[in-house]
């Protein structure tokens, strides 16, 4: 017999409002302890400097983390003009200074150049691997790090508040792999200025938004009252853009055994209408409970991920 995991078999998502100066790994550990959960993970690292939406998966929800990593994201961040740093944020050492202070109108005039699918060089202080090592580890060790430009999608950029000449806020909606710090670096270069990120907040990851986010202190308070489950979101929350099919108990039994189920033409047509071009993934639900993630092929659903939920 295999060793039984310690803790409770709790499953679902927590939309955490991550506080400043806490790593994503530390956040996972704290939430896991509050729930005494057997298994936990996060969907997309958020730097200690940053605050905001950090989706945390517990139990069976960890099987859907890969879908959240691919989700679009939203950010609100503040640019501090006048100095560039090694890390491109306020945590780094200053490497260059300038008296240039671009105005909000000057920033607006060039934002379109950074929208759409663009080629972006990630910051050297990032988790990207270079020959098996994290780029930030190599950079901290004083080694020269050279990262290649890669395509990223920036859906939109807009100017927010500009409280003074030294600071301006930007709002960004983007796809997977886009770096706020790289946007600020490249924008400053375009405007002949020096700049770094002085504040960063993630406002959205897929279906997880600020409106759904819960603070760590409040979650701990719920935990003291044994009410932490009130903050738990269903496993399928991460799959809001994947069509769902209600199935029978018999079909649910087949999928849990790893066998495929046959669809009637009407079901195929309905599912195809909800799928993005080229997509095949469908969620199967029985009595309102997630049973499996499936691939639709030749009029059948073949299980790719089976869930064990009560």
């Amino acid at each position: 017999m295999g060793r039984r995991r310690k803790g409770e078999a709790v499953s679902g998502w927590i939309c955490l409002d991550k506080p400043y100066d806490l790593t994503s790994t530390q956040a996972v550990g704290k939430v896991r302890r509050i729930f005494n959960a057997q298994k936990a993970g996060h969907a997309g690292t958020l730097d200690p400097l940053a605050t905001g939406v950090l989706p945390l998966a517990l139990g069976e929800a960890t099987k859907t983390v890969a879908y959240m990593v691919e989700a679009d994201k939203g950010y609100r961040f503040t640019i501090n003009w006048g100095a560039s740093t090694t890390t491109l944020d306020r945590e780094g050492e200053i490497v260059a200074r300038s008296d240039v202070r671009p105005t909000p109108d000057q920033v607006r005039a060039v934002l379109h150049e950074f929208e759409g699918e663009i080629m972006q060089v990630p910051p050297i202080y990032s988790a990207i691997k270079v020959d098996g090592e994290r780029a930030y580890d190599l950079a901290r060790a004083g080694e020269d790090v050279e990262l290649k430009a890669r395509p990223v999608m920036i859906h939109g950029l807009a100017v927010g508040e500009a409280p003074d000449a030294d600071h301006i806020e930007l709002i960004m909606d983007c796809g997977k792999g886009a770096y706020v710090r790289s946007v600020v670096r490249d924008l400053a270069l375009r405007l002949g200025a020096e700049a770094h990120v002085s504040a960063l907040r993630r406002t959205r990851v897929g279906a997880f938004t600020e409106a759904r986010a819960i603070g760590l202190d409040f979650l701990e308070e719920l935990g003291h009252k044994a009410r932490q489950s009130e903050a738990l979101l269903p496993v399928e929350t991460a799959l809001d853009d994947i069509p769902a099919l209600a199935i029978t108990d018999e079909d649910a039994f087949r999928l849990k055994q790893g066998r495929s189920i046959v669809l009637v033409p009407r079901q195929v047509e309905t599912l195809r209408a909800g799928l993005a071009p080229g997509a095949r993934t469908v969620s199967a639900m029985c009595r309102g409970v997630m049973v499996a993630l499936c691939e639709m092929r030749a009029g059948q659903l073949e299980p790719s991920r089976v869930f064990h939920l009560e």
Side-chain angles (χ1 to χ4, degrees):
M1 293 179 63
R3 294 182 62 184
R4 186 175 180 180
R5 286 181 178 270
K6 294 182 180 180
E8 302 293 330
V10 57
S11 293
W13 284 91
I14 290 295
C15 183
L16 185 69
D17 190 337
K18 190 190 83 65
Y20 172 79
D21 206 22
L22 187 74
T23 69
S24 297
T25 300
Q26 289 171 334
V28 170
K30 287 179 179 292
V31 171
R32 183 176 184 177
R33 284 191 292 274
I34 291 171
F35 282 87
N36 188 29
Q38 292 178 353
K39 192 175 182 182
H42 65 75
T45 302
L46 201 55
D47 292 340
L49 166 72
T51 65
V53 176
L54 179 64
L56 302 180
L58 302 176
E60 292 291 278
T62 58
K63 295 178 180 179
T64 64
V65 164
Y67 295 91
M68 291 311 305
V69 172
E70 299 291 330
D72 287 345
K73 300 170 179 65
Y75 294 94
R76 186 169 65 248
F77 55 97
T78 301
I79 299 174
N80 195 152
W81 301 116
S84 295
T85 70
T86 51
T87 58
L88 305 179
D89 59 30
R90 70 184 190 192
E91 301 292 299
E93 297 179 6
I94 294 176
V95 293
R97 294 184 182 274
S98 171
D99 292 331
V100 177
R101 300 292 188 273
T103 66
D105 285 342
Q106 288 174 320
V107 173
R108 286 191 190 94
V110 299
L111 284 184
H112 69 278
E113 299 176 18
F114 301 89
E115 294 178 322
E117 186 174 74
I118 63 171
M119 297 300 292
Q120 185 186 75
V121 178
I124 60 171
Y125 283 85
S126 63
I128 292 173
K129 287 191 174 182
V130 180
D131 297 328
E133 300 287 337
R134 298 291 186 185
Y136 55 65
D137 288 331
L138 297 173
R140 287 167 185 159
E143 296 189 30
D144 290 331
V145 180
E146 189 171 335
L147 299 177
K148 296 180 179 180
R150 57 185 188 172
V152 297
M153 176 60 72
I154 308 293
H155 298 297
L157 275 167
V159 172
E161 298 180 357
D164 54 52
D166 290 331
H167 301 88
I168 188 170
E169 182 185 72
L170 292 188
I171 300 159
M172 182 170 85
D173 190 33
C174 62
K176 173 188 175 184
Y179 281 90
V180 166
R181 287 175 292 150
S182 292
V183 169
V184 172
R185 175 200 63 205
D186 298 341
L187 178 63
L189 179 64
R190 172 66 176 82
L191 294 170
E194 301 294 342
H196 63 273
V197 178
S198 60
L200 172 62
R201 181 169 179 79
R202 189 155 67 188
T203 57
R204 182 177 72 90
V205 179
F208 296 91
T209 63
E210 280 186 296
R212 278 179 152 175
I214 183 171
L216 186 58
D217 289 344
F218 184 57
L219 187 60
E220 288 176 335
E221 184 180 329
L222 287 178
H224 292 319
K225 300 175 182 177
R227 293 170 49 198
Q228 63 269 37
S229 61
E230 294 177 14
L232 204 60
L233 298 171
V235 170
E236 58 267 26
T237 306
L239 309 171
D240 69 314
D241 59 346
I242 294 176
L245 176 69
I247 60 174
T248 65
D249 290 337
E250 182 181 352
D251 282 342
F253 181 74
R254 290 181 64 87
L255 290 176
K256 286 182 177 181
Q257 289 188 318
R259 295 187 290 167
S260 61
I261 61 174
V262 178
L263 302 174
V264 299
R266 175 178 52 78
Q267 290 175 317
V268 173
E269 291 176 8
T270 300
L271 291 173
R272 280 179 177 166
L275 287 168
R280 294 177 178 270
T281 304
V282 173
S283 61
M285 309 283 293
C286 182
R287 302 177 186 271
V289 177
M290 173 79 71
V291 174
L293 281 173
C294 307
E295 297 295 302
M296 187 171 71
R297 301 177 190 278
Q300 296 187 12
L301 287 187
E302 300 173 1
S304 55
R305 282 281 191 177
V306 174
F307 297 87
H308 304 284
L309 299 168
E310 295 298 329

